[in-house]
Amino acid sequence: MDSHDHPLLPVGVRFRPTDQQLLQYLHWKIHGQPYFRRAVLDCDLYGEMEPWEIWLRFGGTDGEDLYFFTKLKRSTNNSGRLSAHINRKVGLANGTWSGENSASPIFATKTDKTIIGYCKRFRYENAQLPEHHGEWIMHEYSLHQNSIQQAVDSDYVLCRFKKNERFKRKLQKDLEEQQLSKKRMT
């Protein structure tokens, strides 16, 4: 299999959607309409599996993205009612998806500035597991409020999930600096 092929797509087929196309997939999902299910999979990214377990389970390849539909998990307040706050914990080792920016609007086209959805970038954080802290990146796509009316299930978002290439480069640089430091000491 070519390293640029999605693990569940036919050989030679690449999935390189635009932000607008990802929002179209999300629209189809929440409205119960048919879509190409092998391109965007269902996975609980806010559940018990760690990011690296998800990566391995779904055949992630370095330098490539995986795409998932996942349901948002709303926190409950003291009276047991659902709040507007989203719980973005992941795995069983106290990890969390930490937002790196505020949601960026996605416009219908370059010339049509109608907002059709939003994208927010998250990074996996877990100080207890420094070997994975910052190693995973997720872009969470959500539809604009106008697009979720009469939705079958409006709690879904579409996530683009990948390894953080800068994290690997930083680890390599740190390792090289440690080795250079050891050489200087001897």
Side-chain angles (χ1 to χ4, degrees):
M1 182 186 299
D2 184 296
S3 67
H4 297 289
D5 291 335
H6 187 285
L8 299 174
L9 296 177
V11 173
V13 173
R14 295 196 173 123
F15 190 62
R16 301 269 192 252
T18 63
D19 289 349
Q20 290 80 3
Q21 290 167 333
L22 289 173
L23 289 175
Q24 182 62 55
Y25 268 83
L26 181 57
H27 178 86
W28 290 330
K29 172 73 171 179
I30 70 168
H31 287 89
Q33 298 173 337
Y35 61 90
F36 185 58
R37 293 182 186 275
R38 289 170 64 186
V40 183
L41 308 167
D42 285 288
C43 181
D44 184 0
L45 297 178
Y46 303 119
E48 294 182 355
M49 273 198 299
E50 301 291 349
W52 53 94
E53 293 170 334
I54 295 167
W55 189 253
L56 292 172
R57 179 176 181 184
F58 290 97
T61 305
D62 286 359
E64 292 297 309
D65 299 337
L66 293 176
Y67 297 89
F68 298 108
F69 292 118
T70 195
K71 276 191 171 192
L72 295 176
K73 295 190 175 169
R74 300 198 185 279
S75 300
T76 54
N77 62 21
N78 292 340
S79 63
R81 288 195 170 138
L82 288 179
S83 73
H85 180 263
I86 304 296
N87 181 349
R88 290 199 169 84
K89 290 184 176 158
V90 59
L92 298 174
N94 297 321
T96 188
W97 290 108
S98 179
E100 292 189 330
N101 63 1
S102 56
S104 302
I106 298 171
F107 302 106
T109 65
K110 288 181 182 177
T111 55
D112 181 352
K113 297 301 180 188
T114 303
I115 297 174
I116 59 172
Y118 302 91
C119 178
K120 185 169 176 142
R121 179 183 161 109
F122 293 88
R123 182 172 49 118
Y124 176 75
E125 291 189 356
N126 191 336
Q128 295 175 349
L129 296 173
E131 68 275 17
H132 293 291
H133 183 82
E135 183 181 14
W136 304 96
I137 299 293
M138 181 177 70
H139 292 88
E140 184 185 273
Y141 292 85
S142 58
L143 289 169
H144 187 275
Q145 209 53 35
N146 294 345
S147 300
I148 60 174
Q149 294 169 358
Q150 287 125 23
V152 174
D153 194 340
S154 62
D155 285 335
Y156 276 101
V157 290
L158 191 154
C159 296
R160 186 172 66 203
F161 179 75
K162 65 182 177 178
K163 273 191 174 181
N164 185 352
E165 297 301 315
R166 282 186 266 160
F167 177 80
K168 277 190 355 189
R169 287 193 298 268
K170 182 186 178 307
L171 280 181
Q172 184 63 34
K173 184 180 174 189
D174 290 350
L175 184 62
E176 289 169 2
E177 286 176 2
Q178 286 174 0
Q179 290 171 345
L180 189 60
S181 193
K182 284 180 186 176
K183 284 182 183 177
R184 286 184 190 141
M185 293 172 122
T186 55

